Amino acid sequence: MKAAIDRAQKYIDEHAPKVREASMRQRYHFMGPCGWINDPNGLIYYKGQYHLFYQFNPYSAFWSQMYWGHAVSEDMLHWKQLPPALAPSESYDAHPQGGCFSGSAIEKDGRLYLVYTGAANLGKGLEQTQNIAVSSDGIHFEKYEGNPVVTAPEGVAIDSFRDPKVWEHNGRYYFVCAAQREGRAQALLYRSDDLLHWEFFNVLLESRGEWGYMWECPDFFQLGDKWVFLCSPMGAGERTTVYFVGDFDYGTGKFTYTSTGEVDWGLDLYAPQTFLDHQGRRLMFGWANEWEWMRYWKDWGPTFREGWCGSFSLPREISLGEDDMLIFSPIAELNQLRETPTLVNSMKIDPGRARSVKAGDGVAFELSFSLDLEASESSSVLLSLRKGAGRELTCIFDLEHAEVRIDRNNADGWGKGVSSSPLSLRGEPLLDVRVYSDQSSVELFVGNGTNVHSMNVFAPSTQNGIEIAARDGIAIVQDVRGYGMKSIPAA
Ligand code: FRU
Protein backbone atom coordinates (compact mmCIF):
# COMPACT_ATOMS: atom_id res chain seq x y z
CA MET A 1 0.00 0.00 0.00
CA LYS A 2 2.88 2.37 0.76
CA ALA A 3 3.97 2.54 -2.89
CA ALA A 4 0.41 3.38 -4.01
CA ILE A 5 0.14 6.11 -1.36
CA ASP A 6 3.52 7.62 -2.30
CA ARG A 7 2.55 7.67 -5.96
CA ALA A 8 -0.77 9.34 -5.16
CA GLN A 9 0.91 11.90 -2.89
CA LYS A 10 3.37 12.84 -5.64
CA TYR A 11 0.45 13.42 -7.99
CA ILE A 12 -1.37 15.47 -5.33
CA ASP A 13 1.71 17.64 -4.71
CA GLU A 14 1.87 18.39 -8.42
CA HIS A 15 -1.83 19.12 -8.92
CA ALA A 16 -2.97 20.75 -5.65
CA PRO A 17 -1.46 24.19 -6.50
CA LYS A 18 -3.78 24.59 -9.49
CA VAL A 19 -6.83 23.67 -7.39
CA ARG A 20 -5.74 26.13 -4.71
CA GLU A 21 -6.19 28.89 -7.30
CA ALA A 22 -9.47 27.56 -8.70
CA SER A 23 -12.17 30.21 -9.08
CA MET A 24 -15.04 27.97 -7.96
CA ARG A 25 -13.28 26.44 -4.94
CA GLN A 26 -15.02 26.76 -1.62
CA ARG A 27 -13.68 29.42 0.71
CA TYR A 28 -14.59 27.94 4.09
CA HIS A 29 -16.11 24.52 3.39
CA PHE A 30 -13.95 21.40 3.39
CA MET A 31 -12.53 20.24 0.04
CA GLY A 32 -9.92 17.70 -1.07
CA PRO A 33 -6.52 18.91 -2.35
CA CYS A 34 -7.37 17.93 -5.96
CA GLY A 35 -9.38 15.32 -7.83
CA TRP A 36 -12.69 13.84 -6.77
CA ILE A 37 -14.15 13.40 -3.28
CA ASN A 38 -17.39 11.83 -2.08
CA ASP A 39 -18.48 10.45 1.32
CA PRO A 40 -16.94 11.57 4.61
CA ASN A 41 -15.42 8.50 6.32
CA GLY A 42 -13.84 7.63 9.64
CA LEU A 43 -14.79 10.81 11.50
CA ILE A 44 -13.20 10.75 14.94
CA TYR A 45 -11.63 12.93 17.60
CA TYR A 46 -8.34 11.08 18.23
CA LYS A 47 -5.31 12.17 20.28
CA GLY A 48 -6.38 15.80 20.47
CA GLN A 49 -7.37 16.33 16.84
CA TYR A 50 -10.39 15.93 14.62
CA HIS A 51 -9.71 13.40 11.87
CA LEU A 52 -11.67 13.51 8.65
CA PHE A 53 -11.22 10.79 6.03
CA TYR A 54 -13.03 10.81 2.73
CA GLN A 55 -13.69 8.85 -0.44
CA PHE A 56 -11.05 10.13 -2.80
CA ASN A 57 -9.83 9.73 -6.36
CA PRO A 58 -6.73 11.93 -6.44
CA TYR A 59 -6.10 11.28 -10.14
CA SER A 60 -9.09 12.93 -11.76
CA ALA A 61 -12.16 15.00 -10.94
CA PHE A 62 -14.45 12.00 -11.54
CA TRP A 63 -15.30 8.98 -9.45
CA SER A 64 -12.98 6.04 -10.06
CA GLN A 65 -10.94 3.60 -7.95
CA MET A 66 -11.30 4.82 -4.37
CA TYR A 67 -8.64 5.90 -1.85
CA TRP A 68 -9.22 7.31 1.61
CA GLY A 69 -8.12 10.92 1.76
CA HIS A 70 -7.20 12.22 5.21
CA ALA A 71 -7.14 15.60 6.95
CA VAL A 72 -6.82 16.77 10.56
CA SER A 73 -8.00 19.85 12.39
CA GLU A 74 -8.16 21.45 15.81
CA ASP A 75 -11.39 23.33 15.17
CA MET A 76 -13.14 21.67 12.17
CA LEU A 77 -12.60 24.90 10.22
CA HIS A 78 -8.88 24.83 9.39
CA TRP A 79 -7.84 21.47 7.96
CA LYS A 80 -4.40 20.10 7.26
CA GLN A 81 -4.27 17.55 4.48
CA LEU A 82 -2.24 14.41 5.23
CA PRO A 83 -1.19 11.68 2.80
CA PRO A 84 -4.04 9.34 1.82
CA ALA A 85 -4.67 6.88 4.65
CA LEU A 86 -5.78 3.96 2.50
CA ALA A 87 -4.98 3.05 -1.08
CA PRO A 88 -6.22 0.07 -3.08
CA SER A 89 -3.45 -2.54 -2.85
CA GLU A 90 -4.83 -5.97 -1.99
CA SER A 91 -6.86 -8.63 -3.79
CA TYR A 92 -9.95 -7.58 -1.82
CA ASP A 93 -9.76 -3.81 -2.49
CA ALA A 94 -7.79 -3.21 -5.71
CA HIS A 95 -10.30 -3.37 -8.55
CA PRO A 96 -10.30 -0.42 -11.03
CA GLN A 97 -14.03 0.07 -10.40
CA GLY A 98 -13.69 -0.65 -6.70
CA GLY A 99 -11.11 0.26 -4.09
CA CYS A 100 -11.36 1.29 -0.46
CA PHE A 101 -15.02 2.19 -0.05
CA SER A 102 -16.72 3.96 2.82
CA GLY A 103 -16.33 3.08 6.48
CA SER A 104 -15.66 4.44 9.92
CA ALA A 105 -13.05 4.73 12.69
CA ILE A 106 -12.68 3.78 16.34
CA GLU A 107 -9.95 4.04 18.96
CA LYS A 108 -8.88 0.92 20.88
CA ASP A 109 -5.92 0.78 23.30
CA GLY A 110 -4.61 4.05 21.90
CA ARG A 111 -4.59 2.77 18.31
CA LEU A 112 -6.80 3.99 15.51
CA TYR A 113 -8.79 1.31 13.69
CA LEU A 114 -10.50 1.88 10.34
CA VAL A 115 -13.33 -0.45 9.37
CA TYR A 116 -13.94 -0.12 5.64
CA THR A 117 -15.40 -1.85 2.62
CA GLY A 118 -13.06 -3.42 0.10
CA ALA A 119 -14.55 -3.58 -3.40
CA ALA A 120 -12.84 -5.98 -5.80
CA ASN A 121 -13.34 -9.04 -7.95
CA LEU A 122 -12.43 -12.13 -5.96
CA GLY A 123 -13.64 -14.46 -8.74
CA LYS A 124 -17.41 -14.01 -8.41
CA GLY A 125 -17.80 -10.53 -9.93
CA LEU A 126 -17.53 -7.23 -8.08
CA GLU A 127 -17.69 -8.14 -4.42
CA GLN A 128 -17.80 -6.01 -1.27
CA THR A 129 -16.27 -7.20 2.00
CA GLN A 130 -15.53 -5.55 5.34
CA ASN A 131 -11.90 -4.95 6.30
CA ILE A 132 -9.69 -3.48 9.00
CA ALA A 133 -6.67 -1.18 8.94
CA VAL A 134 -4.78 -0.04 12.05
CA SER A 135 -2.46 2.82 12.96
CA SER A 136 -0.49 3.80 16.05
CA ASP A 137 0.20 7.39 15.00
CA GLY A 138 -3.10 8.19 13.30
CA ILE A 139 -1.30 8.81 9.98
CA HIS A 140 0.19 5.57 8.68
CA PHE A 141 -2.16 2.60 8.46
CA GLU A 142 -1.58 -1.09 7.94
CA LYS A 143 -4.19 -3.43 6.61
CA TYR A 144 -4.92 -6.40 8.86
CA GLU A 145 -3.51 -9.66 7.48
CA GLY A 146 -6.76 -11.46 8.36
CA ASN A 147 -8.81 -9.30 5.94
CA PRO A 148 -11.54 -9.54 4.85
CA VAL A 149 -13.04 -9.87 8.31
CA VAL A 150 -16.64 -10.16 7.09
CA THR A 151 -18.08 -11.34 3.77
CA ALA A 152 -21.70 -11.06 2.63
CA PRO A 153 -24.00 -13.57 4.35
CA GLU A 154 -26.05 -16.07 2.36
CA GLY A 155 -28.79 -14.33 0.39
CA VAL A 156 -27.19 -10.87 0.42
CA ALA A 157 -26.03 -9.52 -2.96
CA ILE A 158 -22.21 -9.55 -2.90
CA ASP A 159 -22.01 -6.21 -4.72
CA SER A 160 -24.37 -4.54 -2.23
CA PHE A 161 -22.81 -5.08 1.17
CA ARG A 162 -20.92 -2.03 2.39
CA ASP A 163 -20.23 1.04 4.54
CA PRO A 164 -19.67 -0.30 8.09
CA LYS A 165 -20.24 2.18 10.94
CA VAL A 166 -18.53 0.96 14.11
CA TRP A 167 -19.03 1.75 17.82
CA GLU A 168 -18.21 0.33 21.23
CA HIS A 169 -20.54 -0.50 24.10
CA ASN A 170 -19.54 -2.09 27.42
CA GLY A 171 -16.27 -3.42 26.01
CA ARG A 172 -17.90 -4.96 22.93
CA TYR A 173 -17.75 -3.67 19.37
CA TYR A 174 -20.60 -3.35 16.93
CA PHE A 175 -20.99 -2.24 13.35
CA VAL A 176 -23.99 -1.69 11.17
CA CYS A 177 -23.64 -1.94 7.39
CA ALA A 178 -25.78 -1.69 4.29
CA ALA A 179 -27.01 -4.81 2.51
CA GLN A 180 -29.46 -5.76 -0.17
CA ARG A 181 -31.45 -8.98 0.07
CA GLU A 182 -33.97 -9.90 -2.61
CA GLY A 183 -34.07 -6.32 -3.83
CA ARG A 184 -34.76 -4.85 -0.41
CA ALA A 185 -32.62 -2.68 1.81
CA GLN A 186 -31.34 -4.04 5.11
CA ALA A 187 -29.10 -2.69 7.84
CA LEU A 188 -27.11 -5.62 9.22
CA LEU A 189 -25.68 -5.60 12.73
CA TYR A 190 -22.41 -7.40 13.59
CA ARG A 191 -20.57 -7.70 16.88
CA SER A 192 -17.04 -8.51 18.05
CA ASP A 193 -14.93 -8.69 21.20
CA ASP A 194 -11.67 -7.54 19.57
CA LEU A 195 -12.56 -5.65 16.35
CA LEU A 196 -10.97 -8.46 14.31
CA HIS A 197 -13.37 -11.40 14.70
CA TRP A 198 -16.97 -10.59 13.93
CA GLU A 199 -20.26 -12.43 14.15
CA PHE A 200 -23.57 -11.59 12.59
CA PHE A 201 -25.98 -10.38 15.29
CA ASN A 202 -29.29 -9.36 13.69
CA VAL A 203 -31.03 -7.40 10.97
CA LEU A 204 -31.15 -4.07 12.77
CA LEU A 205 -33.79 -2.64 10.44
CA GLU A 206 -35.14 -3.40 6.97
CA SER A 207 -37.18 -1.84 4.22
CA ARG A 208 -40.22 -3.58 2.79
CA GLY A 209 -39.72 -1.47 -0.31
CA GLU A 210 -41.12 1.75 1.07
CA TRP A 211 -37.63 3.08 1.85
CA GLY A 212 -35.84 2.09 -1.36
CA TYR A 213 -33.68 -0.90 -2.25
CA MET A 214 -30.34 -0.08 -0.63
CA TRP A 215 -29.35 2.09 2.35
CA GLU A 216 -25.92 3.52 1.69
CA CYS A 217 -23.76 4.76 4.55
CA PRO A 218 -25.96 3.73 7.48
CA ASP A 219 -25.19 5.35 10.81
CA PHE A 220 -26.55 4.40 14.22
CA PHE A 221 -26.12 6.15 17.55
CA GLN A 222 -27.71 7.00 20.85
CA LEU A 223 -29.04 10.52 21.34
CA GLY A 224 -30.41 11.26 24.81
CA ASP A 225 -32.62 8.30 25.68
CA LYS A 226 -33.38 7.55 22.02
CA TRP A 227 -31.54 5.84 19.17
CA VAL A 228 -31.12 7.28 15.71
CA PHE A 229 -30.60 5.44 12.44
CA LEU A 230 -29.46 7.52 9.44
CA CYS A 231 -28.98 6.37 5.88
CA SER A 232 -28.93 7.50 2.26
CA PRO A 233 -31.55 5.39 0.51
CA MET A 234 -31.17 4.43 -3.14
CA GLY A 235 -34.39 4.24 -5.10
CA ALA A 236 -36.44 6.38 -2.71
CA GLY A 237 -37.09 9.28 -5.09
CA GLU A 238 -36.32 12.69 -3.68
CA ARG A 239 -35.54 11.30 -0.26
CA THR A 240 -31.80 11.29 -0.33
CA THR A 241 -30.82 11.21 3.34
CA VAL A 242 -33.24 10.17 6.04
CA TYR A 243 -33.37 9.48 9.73
CA PHE A 244 -35.36 7.21 12.01
CA VAL A 245 -35.69 7.81 15.75
CA GLY A 246 -36.66 5.00 18.10
CA ASP A 247 -35.47 2.40 20.56
CA PHE A 248 -32.76 -0.22 20.45
CA ASP A 249 -32.29 -3.38 22.46
CA TYR A 250 -28.73 -4.69 22.95
CA GLY A 251 -30.27 -8.03 23.93
CA THR A 252 -31.87 -8.66 20.53
CA GLY A 253 -30.00 -6.28 18.22
CA LYS A 254 -33.28 -4.89 16.93
CA PHE A 255 -34.18 -1.24 16.34
CA THR A 256 -37.79 -0.11 16.28
CA TYR A 257 -38.62 3.42 15.20
CA THR A 258 -41.37 5.81 16.11
CA SER A 259 -40.55 8.82 13.95
CA THR A 260 -38.76 9.55 10.69
CA GLY A 261 -37.59 12.67 8.91
CA GLU A 262 -35.18 14.10 6.37
CA VAL A 263 -31.64 14.97 7.33
CA ASP A 264 -31.60 17.47 4.49
CA TRP A 265 -34.24 18.42 1.94
CA GLY A 266 -31.86 20.01 -0.54
CA LEU A 267 -30.52 18.43 -3.71
CA ASP A 268 -26.91 18.27 -2.54
CA LEU A 269 -26.42 16.36 0.67
CA TYR A 270 -25.63 12.67 0.71
CA ALA A 271 -23.87 9.97 2.71
CA PRO A 272 -23.48 11.96 5.93
CA GLN A 273 -21.53 10.45 8.80
CA THR A 274 -21.72 11.37 12.49
CA PHE A 275 -19.38 11.05 15.44
CA LEU A 276 -19.26 11.94 19.10
CA ASP A 277 -16.58 14.50 19.90
CA HIS A 278 -14.67 15.04 23.17
CA GLN A 279 -17.25 17.63 24.23
CA GLY A 280 -20.04 15.07 23.92
CA ARG A 281 -21.53 16.63 20.80
CA ARG A 282 -23.02 14.46 18.06
CA LEU A 283 -21.58 16.03 14.91
CA MET A 284 -22.20 15.34 11.25
CA PHE A 285 -20.51 16.04 7.93
CA GLY A 286 -22.16 15.21 4.60
CA TRP A 287 -21.00 15.03 1.01
CA ALA A 288 -22.37 18.14 -0.72
CA ASN A 289 -23.51 16.29 -3.84
CA GLU A 290 -25.84 13.47 -4.71
CA TRP A 291 -25.62 10.54 -7.14
CA GLU A 292 -29.08 10.27 -8.56
CA TRP A 293 -29.84 13.67 -9.99
CA MET A 294 -26.23 14.09 -11.08
CA ARG A 295 -26.41 10.88 -13.02
CA TYR A 296 -29.63 12.03 -14.56
CA TRP A 297 -27.95 15.13 -15.91
CA LYS A 298 -24.84 13.07 -16.70
CA ASP A 299 -22.68 15.86 -15.47
CA TRP A 300 -20.99 16.53 -12.15
CA GLY A 301 -20.83 20.27 -12.41
CA PRO A 302 -18.31 22.60 -13.99
CA THR A 303 -15.59 22.33 -11.32
CA PHE A 304 -13.96 19.37 -13.10
CA ARG A 305 -12.47 21.90 -15.48
CA GLU A 306 -10.57 23.27 -12.51
CA GLY A 307 -9.30 19.81 -11.52
CA TRP A 308 -11.62 19.10 -8.60
CA CYS A 309 -15.11 17.91 -7.75
CA GLY A 310 -16.83 17.69 -4.39
CA SER A 311 -16.92 19.44 -1.04
CA PHE A 312 -18.52 18.77 2.34
CA SER A 313 -21.43 20.37 4.11
CA LEU A 314 -20.68 22.51 7.13
CA PRO A 315 -20.34 20.39 10.25
CA ARG A 316 -23.74 20.22 11.98
CA GLU A 317 -24.57 19.36 15.53
CA ILE A 318 -27.50 17.00 15.96
CA SER A 319 -29.93 17.24 18.84
CA LEU A 320 -33.32 15.83 19.65
CA GLY A 321 -36.27 18.18 19.26
CA GLU A 322 -39.96 17.99 20.03
CA ASP A 323 -41.82 14.86 18.90
CA ASP A 324 -38.48 13.09 18.38
CA MET A 325 -37.63 15.21 15.36
CA LEU A 326 -33.95 15.92 14.81
CA ILE A 327 -32.47 19.39 14.88
CA PHE A 328 -29.41 20.16 12.79
CA SER A 329 -27.42 23.23 13.83
CA PRO A 330 -24.24 24.60 12.29
CA ILE A 331 -21.44 24.16 14.86
CA ALA A 332 -20.70 27.12 17.13
CA GLU A 333 -17.06 27.27 15.92
CA LEU A 334 -18.31 28.78 12.66
CA ASN A 335 -18.95 32.06 14.47
CA GLN A 336 -15.17 32.56 14.53
CA LEU A 337 -15.25 33.11 10.78
CA ARG A 338 -17.63 36.04 10.98
CA GLU A 339 -16.40 39.45 9.85
CA THR A 340 -17.91 42.79 8.73
CA PRO A 341 -21.20 42.49 10.64
CA THR A 342 -24.27 44.43 9.56
CA LEU A 343 -27.46 44.56 11.60
CA VAL A 344 -30.88 45.87 10.67
CA ASN A 345 -33.45 45.68 13.47
CA SER A 346 -36.51 45.54 11.32
CA MET A 347 -37.37 45.78 7.62
CA LYS A 348 -40.73 46.34 6.02
CA ILE A 349 -40.98 44.98 2.50
CA ASP A 350 -43.76 46.20 0.27
CA PRO A 351 -45.10 43.89 -2.41
CA GLY A 352 -43.29 44.29 -5.71
CA ARG A 353 -40.47 46.33 -4.14
CA ALA A 354 -37.62 44.02 -3.27
CA ARG A 355 -35.10 45.31 -0.75
CA SER A 356 -31.46 44.51 -0.86
CA VAL A 357 -29.62 43.09 2.12
CA LYS A 358 -25.96 43.31 3.00
CA ALA A 359 -23.92 40.29 4.09
CA GLY A 360 -20.18 40.30 3.40
CA ASP A 361 -19.43 40.31 -0.33
CA GLY A 362 -22.67 38.50 -1.14
CA VAL A 363 -20.78 35.29 -1.99
CA ALA A 364 -19.20 33.94 1.22
CA PHE A 365 -21.50 35.00 4.02
CA GLU A 366 -23.83 34.13 6.86
CA LEU A 367 -27.24 35.78 6.92
CA SER A 368 -29.98 35.33 9.47
CA PHE A 369 -33.34 36.95 10.18
CA SER A 370 -36.73 36.25 11.69
CA LEU A 371 -39.77 36.45 9.52
CA ASP A 372 -42.57 38.04 11.53
CA LEU A 373 -45.49 35.74 10.81
CA GLU A 374 -48.04 37.81 12.71
CA ALA A 375 -47.24 41.13 11.07
CA SER A 376 -46.59 39.81 7.54
CA GLU A 377 -49.50 39.70 5.11
CA SER A 378 -47.85 38.35 1.98
CA SER A 379 -48.70 34.78 0.98
CA SER A 380 -45.01 34.19 0.34
CA VAL A 381 -41.69 35.85 0.97
CA LEU A 382 -38.78 35.43 -1.41
CA LEU A 383 -35.11 35.53 -0.56
CA SER A 384 -32.93 35.90 -3.65
CA LEU A 385 -29.30 34.83 -3.33
CA ARG A 386 -26.41 35.06 -5.77
CA LYS A 387 -28.46 37.51 -7.83
CA GLY A 388 -26.99 39.19 -10.89
CA ALA A 389 -27.00 39.20 -14.71
CA GLY A 390 -30.60 37.92 -14.78
CA ARG A 391 -29.87 34.91 -12.58
CA GLU A 392 -30.52 34.01 -8.93
CA LEU A 393 -31.10 31.19 -6.49
CA THR A 394 -34.53 31.76 -4.96
CA CYS A 395 -35.59 30.65 -1.48
CA ILE A 396 -39.37 30.78 -1.22
CA PHE A 397 -41.09 30.91 2.16
CA ASP A 398 -44.58 29.95 1.11
CA LEU A 399 -46.72 30.85 4.12
CA GLU A 400 -49.97 30.05 2.37
CA HIS A 401 -49.01 26.43 1.74
CA ALA A 402 -46.61 26.12 4.71
CA GLU A 403 -43.63 25.16 2.58
CA VAL A 404 -40.05 26.19 1.99
CA ARG A 405 -38.65 25.78 -1.50
CA ILE A 406 -35.35 26.52 -3.15
CA ASP A 407 -35.46 27.01 -6.89
CA ARG A 408 -32.17 26.84 -8.71
CA ASN A 409 -33.46 26.50 -12.26
CA ASN A 410 -32.12 29.93 -13.06
CA ALA A 411 -29.20 30.03 -10.64
CA ASP A 412 -26.14 29.35 -12.73
CA GLY A 413 -27.05 28.17 -16.23
CA TRP A 414 -26.14 24.66 -15.20
CA GLY A 415 -27.88 23.21 -12.10
CA LYS A 416 -31.57 22.48 -12.15
CA GLY A 417 -34.33 21.52 -9.78
CA VAL A 418 -36.48 22.75 -6.92
CA SER A 419 -36.21 21.33 -3.42
CA SER A 420 -39.16 21.67 -1.09
CA SER A 421 -40.01 20.87 2.51
CA PRO A 422 -43.14 21.23 4.63
CA LEU A 423 -43.00 23.88 7.34
CA SER A 424 -44.50 23.28 10.72
CA LEU A 425 -45.62 26.80 11.70
CA ARG A 426 -47.70 25.76 14.74
CA GLY A 427 -48.83 29.25 15.55
CA GLU A 428 -45.29 30.45 16.20
CA PRO A 429 -44.95 34.25 15.90
CA LEU A 430 -41.57 34.13 14.16
CA LEU A 431 -39.89 31.92 11.58
CA ASP A 432 -36.13 31.88 11.93
CA VAL A 433 -34.00 31.69 8.80
CA ARG A 434 -30.24 31.25 8.56
CA VAL A 435 -28.20 30.98 5.39
CA TYR A 436 -24.58 30.00 4.90
CA SER A 437 -23.37 30.82 1.43
CA ASP A 438 -19.95 29.95 0.03
CA GLN A 439 -18.40 30.24 -3.40
CA SER A 440 -20.28 27.21 -4.77
CA SER A 441 -22.95 26.30 -2.22
CA VAL A 442 -25.86 27.53 -0.15
CA GLU A 443 -27.12 25.90 3.06
CA LEU A 444 -30.45 27.08 4.41
CA PHE A 445 -31.54 26.35 7.99
CA VAL A 446 -35.18 27.13 8.77
CA GLY A 447 -37.39 26.55 11.78
CA ASN A 448 -34.68 26.03 14.38
CA GLY A 449 -32.75 23.55 12.23
CA THR A 450 -35.60 21.14 11.55
CA ASN A 451 -35.67 22.11 7.88
CA VAL A 452 -32.31 22.17 6.14
CA HIS A 453 -31.67 22.52 2.40
CA SER A 454 -28.22 22.18 0.86
CA MET A 455 -27.76 23.28 -2.73
CA ASN A 456 -24.74 23.77 -4.95
CA VAL A 457 -24.53 26.90 -7.10
CA PHE A 458 -21.74 27.33 -9.61
CA ALA A 459 -22.06 31.05 -10.26
CA PRO A 460 -19.34 33.67 -10.75
CA SER A 461 -18.45 35.96 -7.84
CA THR A 462 -20.01 38.88 -9.69
CA GLN A 463 -23.39 37.24 -9.08
CA ASN A 464 -23.58 38.50 -5.51
CA GLY A 465 -26.86 40.33 -4.88
CA ILE A 466 -29.09 39.49 -1.90
CA GLU A 467 -32.73 40.63 -1.83
CA ILE A 468 -35.89 40.03 0.11
CA ALA A 469 -39.23 40.46 -1.64
CA ALA A 470 -42.90 40.06 -0.74
CA ARG A 471 -45.36 38.67 -3.24
CA ASP A 472 -48.79 40.17 -2.56
CA GLY A 473 -48.78 41.92 0.82
CA ILE A 474 -46.27 43.42 3.17
CA ALA A 475 -43.61 41.30 4.85
CA ILE A 476 -41.80 42.21 8.05
CA VAL A 477 -38.41 40.73 8.85
CA GLN A 478 -36.61 41.35 12.09
CA ASP A 479 -33.10 41.09 13.41
CA VAL A 480 -31.43 40.90 10.01
CA ARG A 481 -27.80 39.99 10.61
CA GLY A 482 -25.25 39.68 7.85
CA TYR A 483 -21.60 38.67 8.13
CA GLY A 484 -18.86 38.05 5.67
CA MET A 485 -17.16 34.71 6.24
CA LYS A 486 -13.38 34.64 6.35
CA SER A 487 -11.68 32.51 3.72
CA ILE A 488 -9.66 29.58 4.95
CA PRO A 489 -6.40 29.12 3.07
CA ALA A 490 -6.12 25.69 1.46
CA ALA A 491 -3.54 23.59 3.30
C1 FRU B 1 -22.08 6.45 -1.25
C2 FRU B 1 -21.21 5.34 -1.82
C3 FRU B 1 -20.98 4.26 -0.78
C4 FRU B 1 -19.69 3.63 -1.23
C5 FRU B 1 -18.94 4.82 -1.76
C6 FRU B 1 -18.03 4.52 -2.93
O1 FRU B 1 -21.91 7.67 -1.85
O2 FRU B 1 -21.82 4.82 -2.99
O3 FRU B 1 -22.05 3.34 -0.64
O4 FRU B 1 -19.02 2.99 -0.19
O5 FRU B 1 -19.91 5.77 -2.16
O6 FRU B 1 -17.25 5.63 -3.26
Side-chain angles (χ1 to χ4, degrees):
M1 173 159 82
K2 187 170 179 313
I5 288 178
D6 290 347
R7 208 176 321 120
Q9 189 56 46
K10 191 160 174 287
Y11 187 91
I12 294 166
D13 291 341
E14 283 162 11
H15 291 80
K18 179 182 163 210
V19 175
R20 245 177 255 146
E21 303 304 318
S23 70
M24 279 180 271
R25 70 166 295 122
Q26 295 282 55
R27 299 192 203 165
Y28 63 94
H29 283 72
F30 180 83
M31 279 179 43
C34 63
W36 163 278
I37 73 170
N38 55 291
D39 319 350
N41 293 155
L43 302 175
I44 192 167
Y45 187 81
Y46 172 72
K47 291 192 178 163
Q49 284 182 315
Y50 291 98
H51 286 250
L52 175 50
F53 302 85
Y54 50 92
Q55 289 288 282
F56 185 30
N57 172 23
Y59 294 110
S60 86
F62 294 95
W63 189 91
S64 187
Q65 196 187 42
M66 281 290 110
Y67 290 61
W68 273 38
H70 187 191
V72 288
S73 172
E74 313 275 316
D75 58 7
M76 289 181 282
L77 305 173
H78 301 82
W79 292 95
K80 179 172 180 254
Q81 293 286 349
L82 296 174
L86 296 178
S89 62
E90 309 301 317
S91 57
Y92 52 82
D93 66 10
H95 191 271
Q97 285 305 306
C100 303
F101 278 13
S102 283
S104 51
I106 192 164
E107 179 175 354
K108 177 175 181 283
D109 304 326
R111 304 212 291 166
L112 187 54
Y113 285 69
L114 306 181
V115 188
Y116 73 98
T117 298
N121 189 337
L122 297 164
K124 293 186 279 181
L126 209 55
E127 178 169 357
Q128 296 168 355
T129 59
Q130 315 319 327
N131 300 281
I132 303 283
V134 193
S135 168
S136 303
D137 62 3
I139 299 174
H140 305 95
F141 289 84
E142 283 197 11
K143 293 176 185 168
Y144 171 51
E145 67 272 10
N147 282 342
V149 292
V150 180
T151 55
E154 192 68 40
V156 164
I158 59 168
D159 62 351
S160 299
F161 177 58
R162 57 181 177 270
D163 308 339
K165 177 72 197 299
V166 66
W167 76 97
E168 183 265 347
H169 174 73
N170 281 349
R172 271 189 130 171
Y173 299 92
Y174 299 82
F175 75 66
V176 59
C177 72
Q180 191 188 114
R181 193 190 293 269
E182 290 163 11
R184 290 179 173 193
Q186 291 189 324
L188 301 184
L189 184 60
Y190 285 80
R191 66 183 168 192
S192 165
D193 290 326
D194 60 4
L195 279 173
L196 302 175
H197 304 89
W198 293 89
E199 62 169 1
F200 173 71
F201 186 9
N202 204 351
V203 177
L204 181 78
L205 185 66
E206 64 191 318
S207 166
R208 294 164 305 160
E210 78 281 36
W211 291 101
Y213 57 81
M214 178 72 176
W215 289 336
E216 294 194 303
C217 299
D219 199 333
F220 191 55
F221 53 90
Q222 194 168 1
L223 193 64
D225 57 356
K226 290 301 205 180
W227 281 82
V228 177
F229 177 77
L230 293 185
C231 66
S232 296
M234 297 169 81
E238 287 183 24
R239 281 186 181 138
T240 54
T241 312
V242 295
Y243 68 78
F244 302 72
V245 178
D247 300 297
F248 173 61
D249 179 359
Y250 272 109
T252 60
K254 205 64 171 179
F255 171 66
T256 48
Y257 64 88
T258 45
S259 72
T260 66
E262 314 267 323
V263 174
D264 195 301
W265 301 82
L267 301 177
D268 291 308
L269 195 287
Y270 197 74
Q273 187 174 95
T274 77
F275 70 111
L276 198 62
D277 83 346
H278 57 301
Q279 301 173 31
R281 297 181 292 180
R282 178 58 60 175
L283 303 174
M284 181 188 98
F285 283 83
W287 173 41
N289 253 329
E290 209 282 313
W291 294 113
E292 293 192 23
W293 79 264
M294 282 286 195
R295 237 185 252 158
Y296 176 70
W297 296 106
K298 298 205 174 27
D299 185 348
W300 292 95
T303 66
F304 76 90
R305 289 190 211 108
E306 300 184 336
W308 66 281
C309 186
S311 66
F312 285 170
S313 70
L314 290 177
R316 302 172 188 175
E317 182 174 351
I318 307 180
S319 50
L320 205 55
E322 277 172 39
D323 302 338
D324 291 343
M325 298 306 280
L326 295 188
I327 293 174
F328 298 89
S329 319
I331 58 165
E333 284 89 331
L334 283 161
N335 298 350
Q336 297 165 26
L337 298 181
R338 289 173 173 168
E339 58 184 12
T340 60
T342 50
L343 169 65
V344 180
N345 285 329
S346 178
M347 279 170 79
K348 175 167 174 263
I349 297 128
D350 291 312
R353 295 183 55 190
R355 292 191 57 181
S356 76
V357 174
K358 183 99 190 93
D361 67 352
V363 175
F365 64 86
E366 179 194 338
L367 171 69
S368 62
F369 58 82
S370 296
L371 181 58
D372 189 328
L373 298 172
E374 283 173 354
S376 298
E377 290 164 5
S378 184
S379 62
S380 55
V381 177
L382 312 176
L383 171 66
S384 303
L385 304 171
R386 303 301 298 274
K387 191 173 167 84
R391 296 201 193 280
E392 64 171 65
L393 181 85
T394 319
C395 308
I396 302 144
F397 304 96
D398 183 336
L399 304 177
E400 188 183 359
H401 302 105
E403 242 181 40
V404 179
R405 295 189 292 279
I406 304 193
D407 184 339
R408 68 151 171 220
N409 282 316
N410 184 33
D412 58 10
W414 176 80
K416 292 195 169 48
V418 180
S419 65
S420 77
S421 63
L423 255 188
S424 162
L425 296 169
R426 295 191 187 188
E428 297 283 336
L430 299 171
L431 179 69
D432 63 285
V433 175
R434 181 178 300 268
V435 175
Y436 287 86
S437 170
D438 200 342
Q439 185 66 52
S440 297
S441 69
V442 163
E443 285 160 276
L444 175 70
F445 295 79
V446 189
N448 188 29
T450 50
N451 255 276
V452 189
H453 291 236
S454 297
M455 303 289 258
N456 290 338
V457 197
F458 299 107
S461 301
T462 46
Q463 235 181 275
N464 63 351
I466 308 174
E467 279 182 9
I468 306 184
R471 177 151 287 153
D472 47 16
I474 59 152
I476 306 286
V477 291
Q478 295 175 6
D479 202 16
V480 185
R481 284 166 200 266
Y483 300 93
M485 292 294 268
K486 285 185 195 127
S487 295
I488 297 201

